[in-house]
Amino acid sequence: MNSYGAASSTTEPVAMLLMNLIGGMQHRVAAATAAAAAAAVGDSATGAEQLLVTPFDSKRPPTITLHAYMGRIAQYSGCTNDTVIAALVLIDRVIVKNPNFLVTNRNIHRLLLTCIVVACKFYEDVFYTNKFYARVGGVPVEEMNNLEIALLSLLGFDLFITPEVYQLYAEAVHSVEGLSKPSTIDVSRAASPSAAALHEHEEKLKQAQQQQQRKHHVALRVDLTSRVVATEELPEEWYERFVGGEGVAMRWLCERCNMDPAWPPFDPRQPIVFATGPCTGTATPTSGRLVVAFRSPTTKTLGASNVGGVLAWNLKRAGWDMLIVVGKADKPVYICVRDDACTIEDATPIWGKEVSEAEKHIREKHGRVSIASCGPAGENLIAYASVTVDSERAAGRGGAGALLGCKNLKSIAVAGSKPIVPANPEEMLQAAQAARADLFNEAFVRDVLKVHGTPGFYDGISVLGLLPTMNWQRTTYPESAETLFQDPYHRQLEVRSAPCFGCPIGCGRHSTIKSGPWQGSSGGGPEFETLGAFGSKCGITDINAVARASHRCNALGLDTISCGQTIATAIEWRESGLLPEDRFPGAGRLQWGDGVSMLDLVDKIAHRDGPLAELLGLGVAAAAAKLGPGAEKAAMHVKGLELASCGVHASKGEAVAHATSARGGDHLRPYASTIDAYGYRSTELRITDNVDPLEDGRKGWVKPLQELSMATNMLGVCLFASITLAVGAAAWAKCLSAAVGHTVSKDELLLAAERVISYVTEFFHSARGDA
């Protein structure tokens, strides 16, 4: 299993473990096959017509033996011992949840393969696409996709395995005799002797569901100054009006955050909030998002960043809707949350370390936890320091990492083991399945985003004249077609998909550089925004340099968007004579297309190494103000937040979105180019008219699109599910309704989003004296 599960590791080789399964498995399959044959010729109520037929069932048993098939899986799948055990639990869970389902010699091969695939994706750090697993299992990739959906449906999306259940199965798996003995369940219906434990698990889920329906919303509040940990009940009225996630986080900040402009930008008294949504961790597709809310030290206004992975899932499983951190520790610390327990630990040994080193230290003590950290950039109060999550994801925008740094807070480690049960599980399953179908009925999501990940945006954005190039001096970058476009990207780098929790798309990338001076460098990304920030904006076509910049930013805790934009601005300043070598040593090396000098500057910025790095660590707005007249022209930002790689020249709607966003240079609230540049329309949002991307007026359609985008942040789901309008407000409203147990219409959801945008964010601007 990966670093986030609750189970302990086993030691036998996978092949031996699989072989140990065969005796008991074949015994049970033979019994079940005989029972199915008897039922087929009988005329009782338990006849063949009553048995559940699934996509796992073939017309005749496969020619390959179960022994040979298990050996093939062991050799090629890359699964661990823990995954094998988890797959066995899932097989039994299918049996318990579906009384009319029999494991026979006609379905065991596909069932075993699919359970291992799902277990790999749910529990492993490293896993592959269904195309790979289909080859391992000898089935077409479309069938593999359908089998995965069928398994999730039979499981009711119940994938969590408690340590107790895991241990029962682990002990049984290591004993051939144990596997051969009859179970407390009818032998024709059990794949292992521990299936009875699942009955207890089902009862626990029912109890958890009842508790969920009675549950009050609670936050865990950690005061680093007093070292007091407490719970804080959150008003139900907030959730009724602001839904959850970013909505409730911002409502909390309205009461508790001091927006006085006189307060210094890195005042440790300012709180930082980590918020889950009502759909977090449920069967809702893409429900692995976490919102980080704070007063931005960069813009002095709303700070909100969004991050995926498994951190939100773990926080929700620990029983908390939000984690609130206030105050400042007297020495470096980290916070460890494990269900109801929360401790403040000494971080002195890892202060100054890069993110992966800090995570290793924490996991050596606390085991499998999800970790959010500030790197050296946050410790050094770089204005655009990010919070890096599990080495490869980032809450990047607005400087949240610097806020952790000013609190002497290195990391937050979280592990949860409580079931996440929606108020209406059956409705949730139906709503989630419908949303997933919507997702893959949309061509861009299905054919580009799932296949190529976020780098799939690069091609179209460049062709449409929306790609900022050489610090926005150009709007397209054809010179990069052979290196940074989606196909050459995947040819030149070793790439695998890196999905967040609950995401069927898997748009994230994990890359390894295959050649050149940075050969072997590995890590998250580069995602599209990083390709733009360090590629087109800096005039760089070398994919290896861009990938290395992504890896270094994750390790150092830097927002790739702001860092790349700042360096691109610096190159233009150098050309304009605003960075003389005598004042800023090393500035003379900055040139368009120079990946080496760009990478050198990334590390120097994080460590405040030299006058140039000191200047650029302030962000473009503050750096321009310090440089004086003429510098502001090249400083591309809104409200102090650097612009992303989503151009505005050929999308005036995107220009309006940037200008009206509460958090500054915001390309995702909404991504308005979807409508005016790409031509998408939405009857649901009443965006049906023709829209001229170059027209200055008639931008009322941006408002409902803003509301849909905000709704995803409130629910705890990913904007990319709606960025091309694949999943609409009505589908999200049904998922929300199932999660909370009462009907919420799409209009009510969008109204709540409007409330967050117009009411809560207005508070921040009025408090700081904006007109």
Side-chain angles (χ1 to χ4, degrees):
M1 288 187 182
N2 68 10
S3 303
Y4 323 116
S8 58
S9 179
T10 56
T11 57
E12 294 183 66
V14 173
M16 182 63 71
L17 198 64
L18 280 166
M19 294 306 108
N20 277 1
L21 287 173
I22 290 175
M25 186 76 80
Q26 288 182 327
H27 170 81
R28 296 176 184 284
V29 169
T33 302
V41 298
D43 58 359
S44 67
T46 60
E49 69 277 9
Q50 299 297 320
L51 297 180
L52 184 62
V53 179
T54 71
F56 302 102
D57 292 283
S58 58
K59 293 181 179 179
R60 60 186 62 85
T63 56
I64 186 172
T65 66
L66 186 59
H67 184 286
Y69 199 61
M70 284 183 165
R72 176 169 161 173
I73 291 174
Q75 184 175 359
Y76 297 111
S77 69
C79 65
T80 65
N81 295 350
D82 292 324
T83 300
V84 175
I85 294 170
L88 195 59
V89 177
L90 296 182
I91 290 174
D92 272 357
R93 191 165 290 173
V94 168
I95 294 168
V96 171
K97 287 178 174 287
N98 303 275
N100 290 337
F101 179 79
L102 288 176
V103 177
T104 72
N105 62 353
R106 298 191 179 196
N107 58 30
I108 183 58
H109 295 72
R110 286 178 174 82
L111 181 62
L112 177 66
L113 170 68
T114 312
C115 285
I116 284 181
V117 169
V118 170
C120 280
K121 293 181 178 182
F122 197 72
Y123 301 111
E124 292 286 356
D125 284 325
V126 177
F127 55 88
Y128 304 94
T129 64
N130 279 0
K131 183 177 180 181
F132 172 83
Y133 291 120
R135 290 177 61 192
V136 171
V139 299
V141 65
E142 283 302 318
E143 183 177 357
M144 188 73 255
N145 293 337
N146 293 332
L147 290 173
E148 184 178 2
I149 295 171
L151 178 63
L152 293 173
S153 298
L154 290 173
L155 290 168
F157 287 83
D158 177 14
L159 299 176
F160 176 65
I161 299 172
T162 66
E164 294 78 15
V165 168
Y166 171 87
Q167 194 59 40
L168 284 170
Y169 280 74
E171 291 171 358
V173 162
H174 288 82
S175 168
V176 175
E177 291 85 5
L179 280 168
S180 301
K181 291 177 182 177
S183 168
T184 54
I185 307 293
D186 176 21
V187 72
S188 68
R189 295 194 177 277
S192 83
S194 303
L198 289 176
H199 288 302
E200 181 182 353
H201 173 75
E202 292 294 310
E203 289 302 314
K204 288 182 178 180
L205 283 178
K206 290 178 182 178
Q207 294 172 10
Q209 181 182 349
Q210 295 169 355
Q211 294 172 1
Q212 182 85 357
Q213 292 172 342
R214 298 192 300 267
K215 173 187 173 183
H216 298 293
H217 294 284
V218 290
L220 178 65
R221 189 176 188 274
V222 181
D223 188 327
L224 296 177
T225 303
S226 64
R227 300 180 73 89
V228 171
V229 177
T231 60
E232 181 175 323
E233 191 165 314
L234 303 169
E236 185 63 30
E237 183 262 344
W238 288 5
Y239 283 86
E240 292 171 357
R241 288 176 57 79
F242 305 106
V243 177
E246 184 171 328
V248 173
M250 290 301 152
R251 181 63 184 85
W252 188 93
L253 285 177
C254 282
E255 289 198 357
R256 312 297 173 84
C257 189
N258 191 321
M259 294 298 296
D260 185 348
W263 273 39
F266 297 108
D267 195 307
R269 292 172 291 178
Q270 297 285 22
I272 185 168
V273 178
F274 299 80
T276 67
C279 291
T280 299
T282 67
T284 305
T286 75
S287 59
R289 306 298 296 187
L290 183 82
V291 169
V292 184
F294 51 99
R295 181 196 179 193
S296 171
T298 305
T299 67
K300 317 300 188 298
T301 181
L302 165 67
S305 197
N306 201 294
V307 65
V310 296
L311 180 61
W313 175 61
N314 269 287
L315 185 59
K316 195 71 173 283
R317 284 203 305 159
W320 306 107
D321 295 291
M322 295 199 322
L323 170 64
I324 301 163
V325 183
V326 299
K328 178 180 180 179
D330 57 2
K331 64 178 182 179
V333 299
Y334 66 90
I335 296 169
C336 185
V337 178
R338 192 177 292 276
D339 291 337
D340 297 333
C342 177
T343 57
I344 301 173
E345 307 279 348
D346 180 23
T348 304
I350 54 176
W351 194 255
K353 301 293 186 183
E354 294 185 2
V355 169
S356 60
E357 296 178 76
E359 289 182 356
K360 180 180 178 182
H361 175 91
I362 292 171
R363 290 194 175 107
E364 284 175 351
K365 180 174 182 179
H366 298 283
R368 291 164 172 162
V369 289
S370 182
I371 305 173
S373 303
C374 72
E379 297 171 10
N380 291 316
L381 306 185
I382 301 304
Y384 41 87
S386 64
V387 175
T388 303
V389 176
D390 296 322
S391 292
E392 298 192 0
R393 317 233 176 224
R397 309 257 60 200
L403 198 57
L404 293 192
C406 79
K407 293 177 175 295
N408 275 337
L409 178 59
K410 180 66 176 181
S411 302
I412 299 170
V414 184
S417 64
K418 301 176 183 179
I420 300 173
V421 184
N424 194 322
E426 292 184 3
E427 284 188 12
M428 174 59 78
L429 180 58
Q430 294 172 2
Q433 288 175 326
R436 182 186 175 113
D438 290 344
L439 205 54
F440 290 110
N441 282 335
E442 202 287 300
F444 181 83
V445 172
R446 181 186 63 245
D447 301 331
V448 179
L449 199 55
K450 184 171 179 61
V451 177
H452 298 288
T454 64
F457 285 107
Y458 191 94
D459 300 29
I461 286 178
S462 180
V463 169
L464 287 171
L466 293 168
L467 185 65
T469 301
M470 296 182 177
N471 196 36
W472 297 76
Q473 297 180 44
R474 290 165 45 186
T475 61
T476 187
Y477 197 30
E479 299 95 319
S480 65
E482 298 302 318
T483 54
L484 303 185
F485 277 41
Q486 62 190 26
D487 289 330
Y489 171 105
H490 286 82
R491 284 198 306 268
Q492 295 170 94
L493 298 172
E494 183 180 319
V495 184
R496 64 173 173 83
S497 173
C500 300
F501 170 83
C503 182
I505 305 172
C507 71
R509 304 288 94 173
H510 173 98
S511 68
T512 301
I513 298 174
K514 296 194 290 186
S515 61
W518 309 293
Q519 183 177 0
S521 177
S522 182
E527 307 299 342
F528 162 71
E529 285 295 343
T530 307
L531 291 173
F534 292 109
S536 63
K537 284 184 180 179
C538 294
I540 292 172
T541 59
D542 183 356
I543 185 61
N544 289 342
V546 175
R548 178 63 175 170
S550 178
H551 302 161
R552 292 306 297 148
C553 283
N554 288 336
L556 297 166
L558 284 167
D559 175 23
T560 62
I561 295 175
S562 289
C563 187
Q565 175 60 63
T566 301
I567 292 174
T569 300
I571 297 173
E572 185 169 344
W573 281 340
R574 196 272 309 163
E575 283 190 332
S576 303
L578 294 172
L579 294 177
E581 185 72 18
D582 58 340
R583 288 182 57 197
F584 301 103
R589 295 176 54 205
L590 294 176
Q591 296 183 41
W592 305 118
D594 187 345
V596 174
S597 63
M598 175 270 289
L599 284 167
D600 181 60
L601 192 50
V602 167
D603 272 71
K604 286 184 174 180
I605 288 172
H607 293 96
R608 289 189 176 272
D609 183 5
L612 180 60
E614 284 273 0
L615 176 73
L616 300 183
L618 300 174
V620 296
K626 192 166 185 177
L627 280 178
E632 177 64 24
K633 182 180 179 181
M636 308 305 293
H637 70 92
V638 174
K639 301 183 180 77
L641 186 64
E642 292 77 13
L643 298 184
S645 297
C646 298
V648 298
H649 295 87
S651 173
K652 294 300 180 66
E654 187 68 3
V656 171
H658 277 72
T660 58
S661 171
R663 70 172 182 171
D666 199 325
H667 61 299
L668 293 177
R669 299 168 182 231
Y671 182 55
S673 297
T674 295
I675 302 298
D676 63 1
Y678 285 91
Y680 284 85
R681 297 291 180 266
S682 171
T683 303
E684 180 183 71
L685 298 179
R686 298 183 178 87
I687 306 174
T688 57
D689 295 338
N690 291 329
V691 178
D692 183 351
L694 303 181
E695 183 182 28
D696 286 332
R698 298 197 308 159
K699 294 295 181 287
W701 54 267
V702 173
K703 178 179 179 291
L705 200 61
Q706 280 180 326
E707 292 160 2
L708 176 62
S709 301
M710 178 57 74
T712 64
N713 294 333
M714 295 153 64
L715 294 171
V717 298
C718 182
L719 171 64
F720 280 6
S722 294
I723 198 166
T724 55
L725 307 176
V727 182
W732 290 133
K734 289 179 181 178
C735 293
L736 174 60
S737 299
V740 300
H742 60 83
T743 301
V744 181
S745 70
K746 74 173 179 65
D747 292 334
E748 289 171 325
L749 175 59
L750 292 174
L751 179 62
E754 179 189 44
R755 190 175 293 124
V756 173
I757 295 168
S758 64
Y759 169 70
V760 180
T761 59
E762 181 181 334
F763 166 83
F764 285 86
H765 294 297
S766 62
R768 68 192 285 267
D770 289 348

